[in-house]
Amino acid sequence: VELDQFKTIMNAYEEPLAEMGIHFDVAGKERRIEELERKIEEPGFWDNPEESQELMKELKNLKELVETIHGLYTSYEAVSYTHLRAHET
């Protein structure tokens, strides 16, 4: 694929990736992760096993979703960078 074609193809993915972060409210989920992590550190957190297990499950699910979305964007950036570097040589 020619460099200009590749840039066009990759640029077509940039906006949907950004919209995905907005659609899934990644920033809000990151704030909730921080909140849950602080709560886990509070004394007495484990006193209620049912509640603590639910919060741990929520934390795990949020982290998995955020990591997946960040991973997609990181992969997008890595592919773009690698392809551009390959054409520089």
Side-chain angles (χ1 to χ4, degrees), residues 39 45 48-57:
K39 190 171 190 87
F45 173 76
N48 183 339
E50 286 183 22
E51 182 181 353
S52 58
Q53 286 177 355
E54 284 299 314
L55 292 177
M56 291 302 292
K57 183 178 178 181

Side-chain angles (χ1 to χ4, degrees), residues 18-78:
E19 289 175 1
M20 185 173 54
I22 294 167
H23 174 75
F24 286 105
D25 186 24
V26 173
K29 286 178 178 32
E30 289 172 330
R31 284 190 299 275
R32 179 65 177 155
I33 288 169
E34 291 173 5
E35 177 185 323
L36 290 171
E37 288 175 337
R38 282 191 305 272
K39 190 171 190 87
I40 289 167
E41 295 174 6
E42 292 177 1
F45 173 76
W46 298 103
D47 292 349
N48 183 339
E50 286 183 22
E51 182 181 353
S52 58
Q53 286 177 355
E54 284 299 314
L55 292 177
M56 291 302 292
K57 183 178 178 181
E58 179 185 356
L59 178 60
K60 177 183 176 283
N61 291 336
L62 288 170
K63 282 185 172 185
E64 286 175 356
L65 178 62
V66 169
E67 287 171 8
T68 298
I69 293 170
H70 283 305
L72 287 171
Y73 199 78
T74 299
S75 295
Y76 163 80
E77 290 177 331

